[in-house]
Amino acid sequence: MRVLAAAVSRSFVQRRGFASTARTLDNYAFVGLGQMGYQMAKNLQSKLQPSDRISIFDVNPQSMQGLEAEMKAASQGAAVELASSAFDASKDADTVVTCLPEPQHVKGVFDSILVASLPTKDRVFIDCSTIDPSTSREVAKAVSAAGQGQFVDAPMSGGVVGATAGTLTFMLGAAEKLIPRVEPTLLHMGRKVLHCGEQGAGLSAKLANNYLLALNNIATAEAMNLGMKWGLDPKKLAGVINVSTGRCWPSEVNNPVKGVVETAPAGRDYRGGFGISLMKKDLRLAMVAAKEAGAEMKLADKAFEVYEDAEKKEECAGRDFSVVYRYLGGKEE
């Protein structure tokens, strides 16, 4: 996910620092404290004002309690409350941030939030989940129909490292008029906000990029394996690729051959990085969205098969997606 900001077209508008024009919102909620959400919520709380309040919820009570303890130990930022449900966390919030694993989780959370008894409220929901655009648009319509304000999509790039450091890049899908209202919250958790268009556009941009990443990763593994089978030194081969037309993030930053890039996951048995299960998930979502849009993806099925088969192998499961090099039988010294 860290590669997305580098690949974004110049046509996107990068925006920073609208905080001076934003409406003051002092009640926040954060739902979904997984590996990414936990760190994002921690950064958000620490950068809010002491007069603000943030209510957090996750289905895992231990995550909530652990985060509450860290927040209180830091003795800064907004007041923290633990909620008993997503509804409880969000009912009084002006800004609600969600970060959930799959489309069904997003729909389930919003089904629980948008109950008929809620009074009309002008608030904003910022969904940072990576899901399909059609589900996102469906939820956005439900929020609007319930008179609960606006729903925007803001998937992110940067991984757990970026979430921890507060250096994430967000791809925002929202009406132009909502940017000043949404951006300050996102910049508490990240470094850049790229406005991609109307609601759903952030997800479309991310999935298009990650589809390309999925293919580039396999092609890089195949090219490195091919060159080494021909007797080429992997560092010299990568050096040629990275000053030539084959250059890409998997070849230059996340090279799948151990020793070519010292900081790449290949040097630590493919541990850490962007998990192969996440790559498979994003590829699947891109394929669903492409089918709905009537876009042909000739390489998608084969690429998905590669990731699916690789993940089933014990030596590849749970590792960075560059482990497809190992799946292809690449030489490891």
Side-chain angles (χ1 to χ4, degrees):
M1 288 171 27
R2 284 171 286 188
V3 305
L4 190 54
V8 172
S9 162
R10 292 180 182 176
S11 63
F12 288 113
V13 179
Q14 179 178 323
R15 302 179 180 271
R16 305 178 72 168
F18 277 84
S20 63
T21 61
R23 181 168 69 90
T24 300
L25 304 174
D26 58 5
N27 288 326
Y28 294 79
F30 200 108
V31 178
L33 305 176
Q35 286 189 319
M36 295 290 291
Y38 187 102
Q39 300 299 335
M40 291 163 63
K42 183 178 176 181
N43 280 324
L44 176 59
Q45 179 273 337
S46 70
K47 294 174 184 175
L48 293 173
Q49 297 299 312
S51 58
D52 294 337
R53 180 177 65 87
I54 184 168
S55 183
I56 59 176
F57 175 73
D58 191 86
V59 292
N60 183 351
Q62 285 73 34
S63 293
M64 294 171 59
Q65 293 160 7
L67 182 56
E68 180 191 34
E70 286 194 51
M71 289 174 169
K72 289 186 175 179
S75 300
Q76 65 181 30
V80 184
E81 294 181 0
L82 299 189
S84 60
S85 65
F87 172 80
D88 185 46
S90 65
K91 67 181 187 296
D92 296 320
D94 301 293
T95 300
V96 180
V97 181
T98 49
C99 188
L100 302 160
E102 296 277 356
Q104 64 266 29
H105 301 125
V106 175
K107 291 177 72 173
V109 162
F110 278 89
D111 283 346
S112 73
I113 290 175
L114 303 175
V115 298
S117 59
L118 276 176
T120 299
K121 190 174 180 69
D122 179 23
R123 53 179 170 170
V124 63
F125 294 88
I126 305 172
D127 185 36
C128 297
S129 314
T130 298
I131 60 174
D132 59 289
S134 61
T135 295
S136 184
R137 286 190 287 268
E138 180 182 336
V139 174
K141 289 178 181 177
V143 168
S144 179
Q148 290 302 301
Q150 304 288 332
F151 175 97
V152 306
D153 56 297
M156 61 282 187
S157 169
V160 177
V161 172
T164 303
T167 58
L168 295 171
T169 294
F170 292 93
M171 286 63 67
L172 177 61
E176 189 88 18
K177 66 181 180 180
L178 289 176
I179 296 173
R181 185 171 175 183
V182 171
E183 188 181 46
T185 299
L186 294 176
L187 289 178
H188 284 326
M189 302 181 287
R191 182 176 290 168
K192 298 177 184 177
V193 177
L194 303 173
H195 183 229
C196 302
E198 295 295 315
Q199 197 282 317
L203 285 163
S204 295
K206 177 173 180 178
L207 293 178
N209 178 84
N210 281 21
Y211 173 69
L212 179 60
L213 173 62
L215 300 184
N216 280 345
N217 182 61
I218 296 172
T220 298
E222 291 181 331
M224 292 299 297
N225 186 38
L226 175 63
M228 291 170 68
K229 293 286 188 185
W230 283 336
L232 293 173
D233 176 89
K235 286 189 176 182
K236 291 183 178 179
L237 174 57
V240 170
I241 291 172
N242 291 330
V243 295
S244 305
T245 52
R247 178 184 177 186
C248 57
W249 189 83
S251 70
E252 187 174 30
V253 177
N254 209 56
N255 196 284
V257 179
K258 181 180 179 180
V260 172
V261 177
E262 294 302 325
T263 56
R268 47 182 192 272
D269 193 30
Y270 300 99
R271 300 292 181 182
F274 187 44
I276 192 169
S277 62
L278 293 175
M279 185 75 267
K280 189 178 76 169
K281 171 202 166 186
D282 284 4
L283 181 53
R284 172 175 51 80
L285 291 172
M287 292 166 68
V288 169
K291 185 175 182 180
E292 291 176 351
E296 284 201 40
M297 310 260 277
K298 295 294 189 183
L299 301 179
D301 287 337
K302 186 59 183 178
F304 188 84
E305 181 183 321
V306 168
Y307 288 110
E308 188 170 48
D309 289 350
E311 190 182 23
K312 291 176 183 177
K313 294 188 175 295
E314 184 178 351
E315 64 270 25
C316 298
R319 290 170 168 82
D320 180 75
F321 75 130
S322 62
V323 78
V324 295
Y325 173 79
R326 174 179 287 172
Y327 165 76
L328 295 169
K331 182 179 179 182
E332 297 182 62
E333 297 180 357

